[in-house]
Amino acid sequence: MATSVLCCRAFALTMACLLLAVPSLVAQDPSSLSLQYYSKTCPNVEHIVRTEMECAVRADTRNAALMLRLHFHDCFVEGCDGSVLLDDTATMIGEKQADQNVNSLKGFELVDKIKEKLEAECPGAVSCADLLAIAARDAVVLVGGPYWDVPVGRLDAKKASLDLANRDIPTAQQGLLTLISKFWEKGLDATDMVALVGSHTIGFARCENFRDRIYGDFEMTSKYNPASQTYLSKLKEICPLDGGDNNISAMDSHTSAIFDNAYYETLIKGEGLLNSDQEMWSSVVGYSTADTVNKYWADPAAFFKQFSDSMVKMGNITNPAGGEVRKNCRFVNT
Ligand code: HEM
């Protein structure tokens, strides 16, 4: 603990960030994202986020999964605009209360911590949406995954949308065609989807999200293989038919703290933890997604390349309504 606190304070910033006067609400065009966006206003932004992420992931590798999922849930609701980070107010119930987020999405304190560091060095410069995009990339790298350059310049939304979060974020119970269409609506194709869902190589799911699966077709998809049956018995201990809704299990049962391609092997063995995971391989309409799963298991470099490209593509979904650079990621500026 002491080491982690110390190392979080240990970075030395060599250049002062300039204060950028950002209009209170400006429109957002995806082409406005660039790699140089903060070169004058916060040249150390990447270093600041990276330092905090290193500390957080060293303290607990789960933090990598939390940040990656936050970015995904941000981007799927009216673009990557930090809307997922907004707290409820007297007049607005935010996305944190959405079915897929409540009791599930975590990492908000880590976001606050990174934001504090950014505000200390570059007040009013770096958006919460960009913070998430950079932190998600660092999260992946820090647990062994690929690096990609993150285009930046996103703006933070002035409002959240509970209804759109409930509508647009995919769920574990949805079938392949619904999942494909949910990604399609965001400009992402089935290949992007199979690559991006490879994120489940890290992190955990709660029993309430995999109960249907383990008491459903798990035995059939894993072909009653004795090793799979042993794994299934363990899952049923963690997740009984009644109760234990918040008990957790890794989605990649072999290397849940390492970003690798082992998740795809679990699908090929028919041992995907979520119904939605297994759909990528076992759905009767999923010839092309099954081929992609095979490819990423056979060729980790191909998976890393497509994952990086698809993360940039997902990260480039902007909110055309534009926004501001929030001072505190939990609240719009007053
Ligand atoms: C087919 C689409 C997807 C569905 C249905 C889905 C569903 C889920 C569910 C149900 C969980 C467990 C949540 C809980 O039990 O509390 C989860 C966890 C996770 N998801 Fe997804 N997901 C999808 C795609 C993605 C994508 C595209 C990413 C990132 C780019 C992602 C990243 C993660 C991560 C890292 C976790 C682990 C979080 C943790 O450890 O707390 N998922 N997902």
Side-chain angles (χ1 to χ4, degrees):
M1 173 66 184
T3 324
S4 123
V5 171
L6 265 181
C7 93
C8 289
R9 289 185 180 151
F11 68 91
L13 294 165
T14 51
M15 297 181 73
C17 300
L18 301 172
L19 180 60
L20 176 71
V22 178
S24 64
L25 183 70
V26 285
Q28 177 94 86
D29 163 5
S31 64
S32 62
L33 302 187
S34 79
L35 298 181
Q36 291 78 36
Y37 190 82
Y38 294 115
S39 61
K40 290 203 172 68
T41 56
C42 196
N44 270 323
V45 55
E46 296 245 343
H47 178 70
I48 297 169
V49 177
R50 175 62 177 243
T51 304
E52 293 307 314
M53 284 303 294
E54 274 174 13
C55 291
V57 173
R58 196 175 306 147
D60 184 354
T61 49
R62 177 90 183 270
N63 282 321
L66 303 185
M67 299 308 275
L68 180 55
R69 187 164 184 241
L70 268 179
H71 180 49
F72 164 49
H73 284 212
D74 185 28
C75 295
F76 261 56
V77 183
E78 294 198 289
C80 316
D81 60 1
S83 57
V84 71
L85 302 173
L86 287 171
D87 277 355
D88 298 346
T89 65
T91 53
M92 182 200 75
I93 300 182
E95 294 164 25
K96 292 178 182 179
Q97 303 304 327
D99 297 340
Q100 297 310 304
N101 293 343
V102 71
N103 298 325
S104 176
L105 215 54
K106 298 185 174 69
F108 301 107
E109 294 74 19
L110 178 53
V111 172
D112 293 340
K113 195 165 175 232
I114 300 172
K115 180 64 171 166
E116 267 174 36
K117 300 282 177 187
L118 289 169
E119 285 298 304
E121 294 301 323
C122 319
V126 182
S127 67
C128 299
D130 279 345
L131 180 166
L132 278 186
I134 299 169
R137 186 274 317 278
D138 289 346
V140 169
V141 171
L142 287 166
V143 290
Y147 173 92
W148 63 93
D149 287 325
V150 180
V152 283
R154 297 166 188 81
L155 292 170
D156 296 325
K158 305 263 269 183
K159 62 178 180 57
S161 176
L162 176 63
D163 288 347
L164 290 180
N166 280 327
R167 191 193 73 184
D168 290 356
I169 298 172
T171 81
Q173 309 312 334
Q174 284 164 336
L176 187 65
L177 292 180
T178 305
L179 295 171
I180 289 174
S181 77
K182 289 208 159 184
F183 278 75
W184 192 258
E185 282 167 17
K186 304 292 166 192
L188 300 164
D189 61 25
T191 304
D192 293 313
M193 179 184 74
V194 177
L196 289 171
V197 84
S199 297
H200 290 179
T201 180
I202 57 172
F204 294 81
R206 289 169 310 127
C207 163
E208 73 169 34
N209 278 317
F210 62 84
R211 183 181 282 118
D212 288 359
R213 164 81 176 131
I214 62 175
Y215 295 97
D217 64 358
F218 190 103
E219 282 183 297
M220 199 185 72
T221 58
S222 58
K223 303 198 169 59
Y224 301 89
N225 174 339
S228 305
Q229 297 280 357
T230 308
Y231 173 44
L232 180 59
S233 306
K234 282 191 197 140
L235 289 174
K236 287 182 173 172
E237 275 171 33
I238 295 167
C239 187
L241 264 172
D242 269 322
D245 284 4
N246 290 318
N247 294 348
I248 57 169
S249 185
M251 288 176 285
D252 170 356
S253 53
H254 298 294
T255 54
S256 68
I258 300 174
F259 195 102
D260 57 14
N261 65 340
Y263 160 82
Y264 296 108
E265 190 194 16
T266 67
L267 305 187
I268 292 168
K269 284 157 78 181
E271 293 181 356
L273 186 64
L274 305 178
N275 275 317
S276 51
D277 289 334
Q278 198 56 49
E279 282 283 286
M280 306 285 150
W281 167 261
S282 302
S283 166
V284 287
V285 293
Y287 296 112
S288 78
T289 55
D291 281 350
T292 313
V293 169
N294 273 332
K295 180 174 166 191
Y296 295 158
W297 171 232
D299 185 352
F303 165 48
F304 275 21
K305 171 77 176 75
Q306 185 61 53
F307 184 81
S308 306
D309 291 349
S310 298
M311 283 296 287
V312 172
K313 209 166 153 187
M314 183 177 84
N316 284 351
I317 310 171
T318 46
N319 183 341
E324 60 182 6
V325 173
R326 250 178 251 150
K327 294 188 184 76
N328 177 333
C329 293
R330 294 173 182 269
F331 303 104
V332 297
N333 297 337
T334 47

